[in-house]
Amino acid sequence: MQSDEQKWNKKYSQRLSGPGAPDNFLISAKQYLLGGRALDIACGLGAASLWLARSGYKVDAVDISSTAISELRKNAETEG
C-alpha cells in the first residue's frame, strides 16, 4: 500500500509542467490583501505561493509531497 506522500509524489511527478495559475478566488481578493506573511498549506506545486510572493508576501509553503516542494523551490529560486 502506498503512503500518502508516495501517492502525491507520483501525481506531481507526472505533471511537472509548471505550477499553473492560482485560484480565481485568491486573485479576486487581491484588493483586500495587505501584504506581510502568508502560509500556504497543501501548496502542491505552488501556484498560490508563487503568486503571493510576487505580490510582496513572505510565504511559507507546506505540502506532504517532497516532489511538489522540490519543484516549488526550483521555481521560486528561478523567479528570485
Side-chain angles (χ1 to χ4, degrees), residues 4 10 13 15 17 25 30 33 44-45 50-51 53 59 65 71 73 75-76 78:
D4 286 340
K10 181 178 179 183
S13 66
R15 65 176 272 233
S17 60
F25 177 78
K30 185 173 183 164
L33 302 177
L45 296 174
L50 291 169
W51 185 85
V59 181
S65 170
E71 188 67 15
R73 187 172 284 129
N75 288 327
T78 298

Side-chain angles (χ1 to χ4, degrees), residues 20-54:
D23 187 79
N24 286 333
F25 177 78
L26 179 61
I27 295 169
S28 69
K30 185 173 183 164
Q31 64 188 353
Y32 303 108
L33 302 177
L34 303 175
R37 294 189 63 93
L39 174 61
D40 188 359
I41 299 173
C43 65
L45 296 174
S49 297
L50 291 169
W51 185 85
L52 286 163
R54 285 185 215 110

